[in-house]
PDB file of all heavy atoms in Angstrom:
ATOM      1  N   MET G 469       5.531  13.502  58.375  1.00 98.00           N
ATOM      2  CA  MET G 469       4.949  12.361  59.084  1.00 98.00           C
ATOM      3  C   MET G 469       5.912  11.934  60.174  1.00 98.00           C
ATOM      4  O   MET G 469       7.089  11.578  59.899  1.00 98.00           O
ATOM      5  CB  MET G 469       4.836  11.252  58.022  1.00 98.00           C
ATOM      6  CG  MET G 469       4.780   9.825  58.516  1.00 98.00           C
ATOM      7  SD  MET G 469       3.181   9.362  59.145  1.00 98.00           S
ATOM      8  CE  MET G 469       3.582   7.765  59.845  1.00 98.00           C
ATOM      9  N   ILE G 470       5.435  11.997  61.374  1.00 98.00           N
ATOM     10  CA  ILE G 470       6.331  11.824  62.560  1.00 98.00           C
ATOM     11  C   ILE G 470       5.606  11.024  63.633  1.00 98.00           C
ATOM     12  O   ILE G 470       4.397  11.035  63.681  1.00 98.00           O
ATOM     13  CB  ILE G 470       6.786  13.209  63.128  1.00 98.00           C
ATOM     14  CG1 ILE G 470       7.932  13.106  64.089  1.00 98.00           C
ATOM     15  CG2 ILE G 470       5.587  13.941  63.737  1.00 98.00           C
ATOM     16  CD1 ILE G 470       8.561  14.451  64.450  1.00 98.00           C
ATOM     17  N   GLY G 471       6.362  10.298  64.451  1.00 98.00           N
ATOM     18  CA  GLY G 471       5.717   9.580  65.591  1.00 98.00           C
ATOM     19  C   GLY G 471       5.598  10.466  66.804  1.00 98.00           C
ATOM     20  O   GLY G 471       6.158  11.524  66.848  1.00 98.00           O
ATOM     21  N   ASP G 472       4.833  10.009  67.773  1.00 98.00           N
ATOM     22  CA  ASP G 472       4.595  10.806  68.949  1.00 98.00           C
ATOM     23  C   ASP G 472       5.851  11.112  69.729  1.00 98.00           C
ATOM     24  O   ASP G 472       6.089  12.257  70.166  1.00 98.00           O
ATOM     25  CB  ASP G 472       3.516  10.178  69.848  1.00 98.00           C
ATOM     26  CG  ASP G 472       3.790   8.691  70.127  1.00 98.00           C
ATOM     27  OD1 ASP G 472       4.036   7.957  69.231  1.00 98.00           O
ATOM     28  OD2 ASP G 472       3.727   8.368  71.339  1.00 98.00           O
ATOM     29  N   SER G 473       6.642  10.078  69.952  1.00 98.00           N
ATOM     30  CA  SER G 473       7.841  10.277  70.796  1.00 98.00           C
ATOM     31  C   SER G 473       8.889  11.116  70.081  1.00 98.00           C
ATOM     32  O   SER G 473       9.528  11.988  70.696  1.00 98.00           O
ATOM     33  CB  SER G 473       8.476   8.917  71.137  1.00 98.00           C
ATOM     34  OG  SER G 473       9.526   9.094  72.074  1.00 98.00           O
ATOM     35  N   THR G 474       9.067  10.972  68.798  1.00 98.00           N
ATOM     36  CA  THR G 474       9.993  11.779  68.001  1.00 98.00           C
ATOM     37  C   THR G 474       9.480  13.228  67.929  1.00 98.00           C
ATOM     38  O   THR G 474      10.271  14.214  67.933  1.00 98.00           O
ATOM     39  CB  THR G 474      10.103  11.218  66.570  1.00 98.00           C
ATOM     40  OG1 THR G 474      10.509   9.816  66.743  1.00 98.00           O
ATOM     41  CG2 THR G 474      11.240  11.925  65.803  1.00 98.00           C
ATOM     42  N   PHE G 475       8.169  13.366  67.901  1.00 98.00           N
ATOM     43  CA  PHE G 475       7.554  14.757  67.875  1.00 98.00           C
ATOM     44  C   PHE G 475       7.933  15.478  69.144  1.00 98.00           C
ATOM     45  O   PHE G 475       8.419  16.639  69.141  1.00 98.00           O
ATOM     46  CB  PHE G 475       6.064  14.668  67.752  1.00 98.00           C
ATOM     47  CG  PHE G 475       5.381  16.007  67.847  1.00 98.00           C
ATOM     48  CD1 PHE G 475       5.591  16.958  66.878  1.00 98.00           C
ATOM     49  CD2 PHE G 475       4.589  16.333  68.891  1.00 98.00           C
ATOM     50  CE1 PHE G 475       4.967  18.265  66.972  1.00 98.00           C
ATOM     51  CE2 PHE G 475       3.992  17.544  68.992  1.00 98.00           C
ATOM     52  CZ  PHE G 475       4.185  18.539  68.022  1.00 98.00           C
ATOM     53  N   THR G 476       7.783  14.833  70.342  1.00 98.00           N
ATOM     54  CA  THR G 476       8.106  15.583  71.541  1.00 98.00           C
ATOM     55  C   THR G 476       9.625  15.654  71.694  1.00 98.00           C
ATOM     56  O   THR G 476      10.124  16.649  72.347  1.00 98.00           O
ATOM     57  CB  THR G 476       7.472  14.912  72.803  1.00 98.00           C
ATOM     58  OG1 THR G 476       7.745  13.487  72.777  1.00 98.00           O
ATOM     59  CG2 THR G 476       6.001  15.191  72.871  1.00 98.00           C
ATOM     60  N   HIS G 477      10.363  14.707  71.133  1.00 98.00           N
ATOM     61  CA  HIS G 477      11.891  14.750  71.187  1.00 98.00           C
ATOM     62  C   HIS G 477      12.372  16.029  70.486  1.00 98.00           C
ATOM     63  O   HIS G 477      13.097  16.836  71.083  1.00 98.00           O
ATOM     64  CB  HIS G 477      12.453  13.505  70.648  1.00 98.00           C
ATOM     65  CG  HIS G 477      13.925  13.427  70.529  1.00 98.00           C
ATOM     66  ND1 HIS G 477      14.737  14.217  69.718  1.00 98.00           N
ATOM     67  CD2 HIS G 477      14.784  12.609  71.158  1.00 98.00           C
ATOM     68  CE1 HIS G 477      16.004  13.920  69.890  1.00 98.00           C
ATOM     69  NE2 HIS G 477      16.074  12.958  70.761  1.00 98.00           N
ATOM     70  N   SER G 478      11.972  16.240  69.279  1.00 98.00           N
ATOM     71  CA  SER G 478      12.580  17.355  68.497  1.00 98.00           C
ATOM     72  C   SER G 478      11.618  17.929  67.433  1.00 98.00           C
ATOM     73  O   SER G 478      12.104  18.674  66.588  1.00 98.00           O
ATOM     74  CB  SER G 478      13.810  16.919  67.803  1.00 98.00           C
ATOM     75  OG  SER G 478      14.911  16.786  68.752  1.00 98.00           O
ATOM     76  N   GLY G 479      10.350  17.576  67.441  1.00 98.00           N
ATOM     77  CA  GLY G 479       9.413  18.060  66.447  1.00 98.00           C
ATOM     78  C   GLY G 479       8.661  19.323  66.829  1.00 98.00           C
ATOM     79  O   GLY G 479       8.228  20.089  65.962  1.00 98.00           O
ATOM     80  N   MET G 480       8.557  19.556  68.120  1.00 98.00           N
ATOM     81  CA  MET G 480       7.688  20.622  68.614  1.00 98.00           C
ATOM     82  C   MET G 480       8.208  21.993  68.170  1.00 98.00           C
ATOM     83  O   MET G 480       7.469  22.845  67.758  1.00 98.00           O
ATOM     84  CB  MET G 480       7.562  20.603  70.148  1.00 98.00           C
ATOM     85  CG  MET G 480       6.877  19.294  70.652  1.00 98.00           C
ATOM     86  SD  MET G 480       6.435  19.328  72.380  1.00 98.00           S
ATOM     87  CE  MET G 480       7.986  19.647  73.221  1.00 98.00           C
ATOM     88  N   THR G 481       9.523  22.185  68.288  1.00 98.00           N
ATOM     89  CA  THR G 481      10.102  23.524  67.945  1.00 98.00           C
ATOM     90  C   THR G 481       9.926  23.792  66.468  1.00 98.00           C
ATOM     91  O   THR G 481       9.677  24.905  66.101  1.00 98.00           O
ATOM     92  CB  THR G 481      11.592  23.567  68.340  1.00 98.00           C
ATOM     93  OG1 THR G 481      12.177  22.305  67.939  1.00 98.00           O
ATOM     94  CG2 THR G 481      11.823  23.740  69.821  1.00 98.00           C
ATOM     95  N   GLY G 482      10.074  22.720  65.648  1.00 98.00           N
ATOM     96  CA  GLY G 482       9.831  22.876  64.203  1.00 98.00           C
ATOM     97  C   GLY G 482       8.415  23.277  63.903  1.00 98.00           C
ATOM     98  O   GLY G 482       8.145  24.101  62.974  1.00 98.00           O
ATOM     99  N   LEU G 483       7.495  22.713  64.675  1.00 98.00           N
ATOM    100  CA  LEU G 483       6.084  23.064  64.465  1.00 98.00           C
ATOM    101  C   LEU G 483       5.794  24.556  64.785  1.00 98.00           C
ATOM    102  O   LEU G 483       5.057  25.163  64.080  1.00 98.00           O
ATOM    103  CB  LEU G 483       5.123  22.134  65.281  1.00 98.00           C
ATOM    104  CG  LEU G 483       3.661  22.395  65.192  1.00 98.00           C
ATOM    105  CD1 LEU G 483       3.139  22.346  63.754  1.00 98.00           C
ATOM    106  CD2 LEU G 483       2.871  21.390  66.098  1.00 98.00           C
ATOM    107  N   LEU G 484       6.497  24.988  65.831  1.00 98.00           N
ATOM    108  CA  LEU G 484       6.360  26.416  66.164  1.00 98.00           C
ATOM    109  C   LEU G 484       6.867  27.282  64.987  1.00 98.00           C
ATOM    110  O   LEU G 484       6.196  28.280  64.623  1.00 98.00           O
ATOM    111  CB  LEU G 484       7.155  26.740  67.435  1.00 98.00           C
ATOM    112  CG  LEU G 484       7.016  28.141  68.013  1.00 98.00           C
ATOM    113  CD1 LEU G 484       5.569  28.480  68.349  1.00 98.00           C
ATOM    114  CD2 LEU G 484       7.854  28.306  69.261  1.00 98.00           C
ATOM    115  N   ASP G 485       7.980  26.922  64.323  1.00 98.00           N
ATOM    116  CA  ASP G 485       8.435  27.623  63.135  1.00 98.00           C
ATOM    117  C   ASP G 485       7.339  27.660  62.112  1.00 98.00           C
ATOM    118  O   ASP G 485       7.078  28.676  61.522  1.00 98.00           O
ATOM    119  CB  ASP G 485       9.623  26.857  62.514  1.00 98.00           C
ATOM    120  CG  ASP G 485      10.969  27.217  63.135  1.00 98.00           C
ATOM    121  OD1 ASP G 485      11.003  28.104  63.987  1.00 98.00           O
ATOM    122  OD2 ASP G 485      11.992  26.591  62.754  1.00 98.00           O
ATOM    123  N   ALA G 486       6.684  26.523  61.889  1.00 98.00           N
ATOM    124  CA  ALA G 486       5.650  26.420  60.878  1.00 98.00           C
ATOM    125  C   ALA G 486       4.480  27.304  61.197  1.00 98.00           C
ATOM    126  O   ALA G 486       3.928  28.035  60.376  1.00 98.00           O
ATOM    127  CB  ALA G 486       5.199  25.007  60.703  1.00 98.00           C
ATOM    128  N   VAL G 487       4.056  27.340  62.537  1.00 98.00           N
ATOM    129  CA  VAL G 487       2.903  28.067  62.972  1.00 98.00           C
ATOM    130  C   VAL G 487       3.248  29.573  62.827  1.00 98.00           C
ATOM    131  O   VAL G 487       2.391  30.343  62.339  1.00 98.00           O
ATOM    132  CB  VAL G 487       2.598  27.749  64.456  1.00 98.00           C
ATOM    133  CG1 VAL G 487       1.608  28.800  65.013  1.00 98.00           C
ATOM    134  CG2 VAL G 487       1.980  26.346  64.527  1.00 98.00           C
ATOM    135  N   VAL G 488       4.411  29.987  63.224  1.00 98.00           N
ATOM    136  CA  VAL G 488       4.821  31.413  63.202  1.00 98.00           C
ATOM    137  C   VAL G 488       4.647  32.009  61.782  1.00 98.00           C
ATOM    138  O   VAL G 488       4.197  33.131  61.613  1.00 98.00           O
ATOM    139  CB  VAL G 488       6.268  31.592  63.721  1.00 98.00           C
ATOM    140  CG1 VAL G 488       6.787  32.986  63.378  1.00 98.00           C
ATOM    141  CG2 VAL G 488       6.310  31.348  65.249  1.00 98.00           C
ATOM    142  N   LYS G 489       5.021  31.253  60.743  1.00 96.00           N
ATOM    143  CA  LYS G 489       4.831  31.765  59.412  1.00 96.00           C
ATOM    144  C   LYS G 489       3.717  31.172  58.612  1.00 96.00           C
ATOM    145  O   LYS G 489       3.604  31.345  57.410  1.00 96.00           O
ATOM    146  CB  LYS G 489       6.177  31.688  58.670  1.00 96.00           C
ATOM    147  CG  LYS G 489       6.805  30.368  58.564  1.00 96.00           C
ATOM    148  CD  LYS G 489       8.164  30.430  57.868  1.00 96.00           C
ATOM    149  CE  LYS G 489       8.809  29.130  57.828  1.00 96.00           C
ATOM    150  NZ  LYS G 489      10.191  29.208  57.203  1.00 96.00           N
ATOM    151  N   ASN G 490       2.842  30.488  59.318  1.00 97.00           N
ATOM    152  CA  ASN G 490       1.709  29.779  58.684  1.00 97.00           C
ATOM    153  C   ASN G 490       2.091  29.025  57.422  1.00 97.00           C
ATOM    154  O   ASN G 490       1.588  29.280  56.325  1.00 97.00           O
ATOM    155  CB  ASN G 490       0.560  30.776  58.410  1.00 97.00           C
ATOM    156  CG  ASN G 490      -0.796  30.016  58.264  1.00 97.00           C
ATOM    157  OD1 ASN G 490      -0.922  28.913  58.815  1.00 97.00           O
ATOM    158  ND2 ASN G 490      -1.668  30.607  57.493  1.00 97.00           N
ATOM    159  N   SER G 491       3.080  28.190  57.609  1.00 98.00           N
ATOM    160  CA  SER G 491       3.609  27.434  56.441  1.00 98.00           C
ATOM    161  C   SER G 491       2.558  26.429  55.930  1.00 98.00           C
ATOM    162  O   SER G 491       1.884  25.760  56.720  1.00 98.00           O
ATOM    163  CB  SER G 491       4.837  26.687  57.037  1.00 98.00           C
ATOM    164  OG  SER G 491       5.484  26.080  56.011  1.00 98.00           O
ATOM    165  N   PRO G 492       2.425  26.322  54.627  1.00 97.00           N
ATOM    166  CA  PRO G 492       1.404  25.371  54.097  1.00 97.00           C
ATOM    167  C   PRO G 492       1.875  23.882  54.143  1.00 97.00           C
ATOM    168  O   PRO G 492       2.199  23.301  53.160  1.00 97.00           O
ATOM    169  CB  PRO G 492       1.247  25.826  52.609  1.00 97.00           C
ATOM    170  CG  PRO G 492       2.592  26.438  52.252  1.00 97.00           C
ATOM    171  CD  PRO G 492       3.155  27.024  53.536  1.00 97.00           C
ATOM    172  N   ILE G 493       1.919  23.405  55.382  1.00 98.00           N
ATOM    173  CA  ILE G 493       2.312  21.989  55.547  1.00 98.00           C
ATOM    174  C   ILE G 493       1.194  21.233  56.283  1.00 98.00           C
ATOM    175  O   ILE G 493       0.403  21.809  57.011  1.00 98.00           O
ATOM    176  CB  ILE G 493       3.654  21.792  56.369  1.00 98.00           C
ATOM    177  CG1 ILE G 493       3.425  22.267  57.807  1.00 98.00           C
ATOM    178  CG2 ILE G 493       4.771  22.511  55.669  1.00 98.00           C
ATOM    179  CD1 ILE G 493       4.531  21.697  58.753  1.00 98.00           C
ATOM    180  N   THR G 494       1.164  19.891  55.999  1.00 98.00           N
ATOM    181  CA  THR G 494       0.239  19.059  56.770  1.00 98.00           C
ATOM    182  C   THR G 494       1.121  18.115  57.600  1.00 98.00           C
ATOM    183  O   THR G 494       1.891  17.362  57.088  1.00 98.00           O
ATOM    184  CB  THR G 494      -0.657  18.229  55.831  1.00 98.00           C
ATOM    185  OG1 THR G 494      -1.369  19.140  55.041  1.00 98.00           O
ATOM    186  CG2 THR G 494      -1.649  17.335  56.610  1.00 98.00           C
TER     187      THR G 494
END
Side-chain angles (χ1 to χ4, degrees):
Chain G
M469 156 81 185
I470 193 169
D472 51 309
S473 185
T474 307
F475 175 69
T476 47
H477 178 290
S478 288
M480 298 191 302
T481 43
L483 178 57
L484 186 58
D485 275 354
V487 166
V488 165
K489 54 185 178 183
N490 200 27
S491 188
I493 66 160
T494 301

